[in-house]
Amino acid sequence: MILVSNREPYMHSMQPDGIRCEMPAGGLVSALEPIARGCGGTWIAHGSGSADRETVDANDRLRVPPGEPSYTLRRVWLSEEEEKGYYLGYANESLWPLCHNAFVRPVFRQQDWEHYRTVNARFADAVAQEARSEAPMVIVQDYHFALLPRMIRERLPNATIVTFWHIPWPNAEVFGICPHAAELLDGLLGSDIIGFQVPLFRINLIDCVERTLESRVSREDWSVRYGGKTSRNCTYPISIAWPARSEPVAVPALSARKSLDMKADAKLILAVGRLDYTKGIPEFLAAFEDLLLRYPEWRGRIHLYYVAAPSRGGVESYRNLRRQCLKISAAINARFETEDYKPLQFMDEHFARDDLRALYREADICAVPSLHDGMNLVAKEFVAERENSDGVLILSRFAGAAQELPEALAVNPFDIAQLASTLKAALEMPLVEQGERMHRMRETVRNKNIYRWAGRMLEDAVRLRSRKRLLKVRTAAQERGRRRNLRTQPDPATLNRARNDANTPDP
Ligand code: GDG
C-alpha cells in the first residue's frame, strides 16, 4: 500500500539542542498515522522539516515511527518557490477557501496553478518509483493532489487508486468559478474510488461533474463514467483511534486550571484547533465575551482556554487572523479581568499530544465552533477522553461530525447570541443529562473509529480490485477464444466455394 499526502507524519527540525522529531498538528496525520502503523507500506509526503534531509537515506527514505519502525516514509523535496505556489498558493489560497463556506474569497494565480501541476507530477513519479508491483494500491489524500490520480493512472494503468477528500466539496455554482474546474475533475476521476466525509459532498461532486465534463453520472450507485472508465463516489466519515484502556495519559506537564489560577468550583471551557479562519475562532471569542456581558453572574466563575496551533503562517489571511484573535483575547481580558480573575488564555502554540489529552480531561466544556469543516476530529477526541461520561460538547452544525454526534449541543457559529446562550446552557447542564449525551457519543466514536473508516475504504478498494482482475481474466479469455475461432474458421472465399460445391448436383 502506498499512501500519499502533503503533510508528513514525522517532521525533523533543527533545534539548538540537536534534531527534534515531531508529529505535526492536523486532522489528516492524526487519523492516518495509526492506519499506516497497522498496514505497513510506504507513506510519500513533502519533506518540510528543517532537518528532514539530514534524517533520510540515499533514496530519501526512513523507517518510522522512531523507536518502533513499522512503515517507510519517503520524502519528496520541493523548492521554496514550488512550495509557495503549490501549497500556500493553489492549495491554500485557491482550493481551501473555494471548498469552505467561510466567505474568504479564493485567489487564482496562473503561476500557482502551474506549480500545483508540477508538484502533483513529481509525486506521481515518486509513486511510480515506490510501487513494488504494476498494480499497487494507492491511497491519495486531500485537496493538495486533485491532479495526482490521473497522473498515477498514466504511469501505472493497473493501480487501484482511492482518493480521500478530507474537506467539503462545494456546490456546482461555487465550484464553477474555478478557472481550472475541468482539469481538477479530470484529475480526480483518475481514481477508482473518491471518498468523502458526508453524503452532501459526493452529491455536490456529481453535480459538478455533470455540469463540467462530457460524462455519464449515476445517482443510484454514485458513479461517474468518464473517458471509458468508471469512478465511484463513496462516503467514509473519518474518525480517531479509540484510546486503549491500558494507554495512560502521561502526568500532565500542563494544567489549564493552574495556569488560569482557577477557583475549585470554576468551570473550564476548552477549544482546540489549527489557527484557521474556517474554525470560527473570533466568533467563539465574541460569544464568550457576550456571555460575560449578558450574564454577569458567570464572571469570575468561567474560564476559556483556547489552543490555536499555528498553521499556514506563510498566508497573509492566516497572519491577520492570528493578530485579530490576539487582539480580541487581550480586549476581553482587559475588560473583565480582576485581581483574582483572568477570563481567558489564548495559546497560539503547538502542544504535545499528551498535553492535549490532559486538557480534554480537565475541561468541563469543549467547543468546536467551525464555520465549515469536513469532519472535525477535536470533537471526537474530546468525547474519547471523557471516561466518566461527563462534560459537554458544543458542536457547529456545519462540521461533518455533527451528523454523527446529534447528542452534542448544535450551534450556528455565525449567530453569536445563539452561541453565547448555548454556552450558558452547557454551563448549566445537569450531570445526569451530560452523562446520557456523552455515553451515546462515546458509543458512536468507539464503534465508528479510524480502523472502521480505513477498513471500509480498503475493503471497497480490494473488492474493486478483484472485480477488475476477474474482468481482465474474462476479457483475456474472450480474446483468446476470438483468436482461436478466427484461426479455425475458413476464410470467406473457401466457405463460398464449399457452399457452391454443396449445391452442385452430383453427376
Ligand atoms: C482536515 C479537515 C477533517 C490541533 N492542535 C494541536 C494538535 N491538533 C490536532 C487535533 C486534531 C487535529 O489536529 C485537527 O483536526 P481537525 O479535524 O479539527 O482539522 P483539520 O486539521 O482542519 O483537518 C477536517 C480532518 O482533515 C480529517 O479528515 O476532520 O475537517 O479540515 O487531531 O488534536 N495536535 C498537536 N498539537 C496541537 O497543538 N499535537
Side-chain angles (χ1 to χ4, degrees):
M1 188 174 90
I2 301 177
L3 237 155
V4 190
S5 72
N6 170 70
R7 177 72 68 229
E8 54 183 342
Y10 292 95
M11 182 192 270
H12 289 90
S13 60
M14 203 61 86
Q15 301 291 325
D17 52 346
I19 291 176
R20 192 166 72 204
C21 180
E22 195 172 68
M23 185 186 274
L28 185 147
V29 166
S30 310
L32 287 166
E33 216 277 333
I35 301 302
R37 282 180 192 228
C39 295
T42 302
W43 185 328
I44 304 176
H46 170 211
S48 54
S50 56
D52 273 358
R53 285 179 195 262
E54 279 75 1
T55 42
V56 291
D57 66 14
N59 297 310
D60 302 327
R61 299 187 185 123
L62 75 153
R63 297 281 294 162
V64 286
E68 40 176 332
S70 54
Y71 64 97
T72 301
L73 170 60
R74 158 75 195 272
R75 286 177 172 148
V76 172
W77 313 115
L78 305 181
S79 69
E80 216 173 285
E81 208 192 340
E82 282 168 343
E83 189 179 350
K84 197 166 162 243
Y86 138 83
Y87 176 70
L88 294 175
Y90 203 78
N92 287 322
E93 284 194 277
S94 311
L95 289 179
W96 180 265
L98 182 75
C99 292
H100 288 92
N101 294 334
F103 305 95
V104 169
R105 189 178 167 150
V107 182
F108 299 103
R109 301 182 199 94
Q110 189 55 24
Q111 218 184 354
D112 291 349
W113 168 244
E114 277 152 25
H115 283 305
Y116 187 80
R117 248 198 325 232
T118 310
V119 171
N120 272 243
R122 182 151 331 135
F123 274 81
D125 290 339
V127 171
Q129 284 157 14
E130 296 299 327
R132 287 188 219 134
S133 77
E134 48 105 41
M137 170 92 75
V138 189
I139 319 280
V140 176
Q141 303 295 323
D142 230 357
Y143 64 102
H144 310 92
F145 295 120
L147 303 178
L148 185 57
R150 168 83 47 219
M151 293 173 168
I152 297 174
R153 177 78 55 220
E154 282 160 6
R155 289 158 178 79
L156 295 162
N158 296 321
T160 301
I161 308 172
V162 181
T163 302
F164 189 74
W165 197 262
H166 289 252
I167 64 174
W169 188 276
N171 68 36
E173 279 76 31
V174 172
F175 188 67
I177 68 163
C178 176
H180 316 108
E183 290 98 320
L184 291 171
L185 292 173
D186 174 83
L188 263 184
L189 291 172
S191 320
D192 294 290
I193 297 178
I194 308 172
F196 292 102
Q197 306 273 25
V198 297
L200 176 67
F201 304 156
R202 78 169 172 192
I203 298 177
N204 285 349
L205 177 90
I206 291 268
D207 289 348
C208 292
V209 171
E210 203 168 35
R211 286 198 195 190
T212 318
L213 299 177
E214 190 93 17
S215 59
R216 204 173 68 229
V217 306
S218 157
R219 286 183 176 75
E220 260 167 39
D221 64 355
W222 301 101
S223 66
V224 176
R225 182 95 191 138
Y226 168 70
K229 210 199 132 291
T230 304
S231 296
R232 266 166 237 293
N233 298 285
C234 304
T235 41
Y236 308 106
I238 206 163
S239 194
I240 56 162
W242 187 257
R245 274 212 167 270
S246 54
E247 207 180 294
V249 183
V251 180
L254 172 135
S255 159
R257 288 186 177 270
K258 262 193 207 141
S259 72
L260 280 158
D261 203 10
M262 287 173 60
K263 295 194 181 96
D265 64 340
K267 302 252 187 194
L268 175 64
I269 304 160
L270 173 72
V272 175
R274 285 183 306 99
L275 220 172
D276 192 295
Y277 53 76
T278 61
K279 302 290 180 188
I281 306 173
E283 287 75 5
F284 193 71
L285 290 172
F288 181 69
E289 181 173 29
D290 192 43
L291 178 85
L292 292 175
L293 259 181
R294 281 200 286 147
Y295 307 102
E297 66 275 19
W298 280 106
R299 293 182 202 165
R301 294 167 55 216
I302 52 167
H303 298 257
L304 171 61
Y305 196 81
Y306 220 119
V307 176
S311 185
R312 305 174 194 168
V315 178
E316 203 191 333
S317 51
Y318 285 73
R319 290 196 297 274
N320 290 341
L321 175 72
R322 178 176 171 273
R323 276 193 290 272
Q324 185 192 3
C325 292
L326 289 172
K327 201 168 150 195
I328 303 175
S329 304
I332 298 174
N333 273 337
R335 187 166 189 186
F336 297 102
E337 204 162 10
T338 63
E339 225 168 59
D340 60 351
Y341 176 53
K342 182 173 183 195
L344 80 93
Q345 204 152 335
F346 188 82
M347 310 295 292
D348 61 329
E349 55 191 77
H350 187 271
F351 278 58
R353 187 138 283 281
D354 275 339
D355 284 336
L356 281 188
R357 293 188 68 193
L359 288 172
Y360 289 138
R361 290 173 172 228
E362 235 190 343
D364 296 291
I365 295 167
C366 178
V368 175
S370 308
L371 302 184
H372 203 192
D373 219 330
M375 175 54 62
N376 196 286
L377 296 179
V378 169
K380 295 186 174 183
E381 288 167 357
F382 173 67
V383 167
E385 292 300 334
R386 307 302 296 194
E387 278 183 352
N388 298 333
S389 288
D390 59 352
V392 185
L393 175 64
I394 296 181
L395 179 57
S396 164
R397 279 165 43 197
F398 311 125
Q403 299 193 14
E404 285 184 280
L405 302 173
E407 298 83 7
L409 294 185
V411 285
N412 169 3
F414 292 91
D415 183 346
I416 306 297
Q418 187 219 29
L419 205 49
S421 39
T422 307
L423 199 45
K424 182 169 176 284
L427 288 163
E428 290 165 355
M429 187 184 287
L431 259 179
V432 177
E433 186 181 344
Q434 290 182 27
E436 277 170 12
R437 289 172 182 263
M438 189 54 79
H439 179 71
R440 289 208 195 119
M441 291 193 279
R442 283 175 63 78
E443 282 299 293
T444 305
V445 180
R446 193 201 328 258
N447 294 331
K448 298 185 175 172
N449 58 40
I450 188 66
Y451 299 106
R452 185 163 143 161
W453 172 81
R456 282 189 51 224
M457 199 163 76
L458 294 177
E459 226 174 79
D460 285 353
V462 168
R463 206 173 301 133
L464 201 83
R465 190 159 131 128
S466 33
R467 213 180 298 151
K468 273 205 292 191
R469 214 175 273 152
L470 277 178
L471 201 74
K472 215 170 140 192
V473 171
R474 209 173 65 203
T475 318
Q478 278 170 346
E479 179 61 15
R480 274 199 305 277
R482 197 179 64 83
R483 287 221 193 96
R484 206 170 27 241
N485 283 345
L486 277 180
R487 268 205 311 275
T488 50
Q489 262 173 22
D491 71 279
T494 322
L495 258 183
N496 267 343
R497 250 195 328 272
R499 241 180 249 130
N500 290 341
D501 287 352
N503 293 337
T504 312
D506 285 337

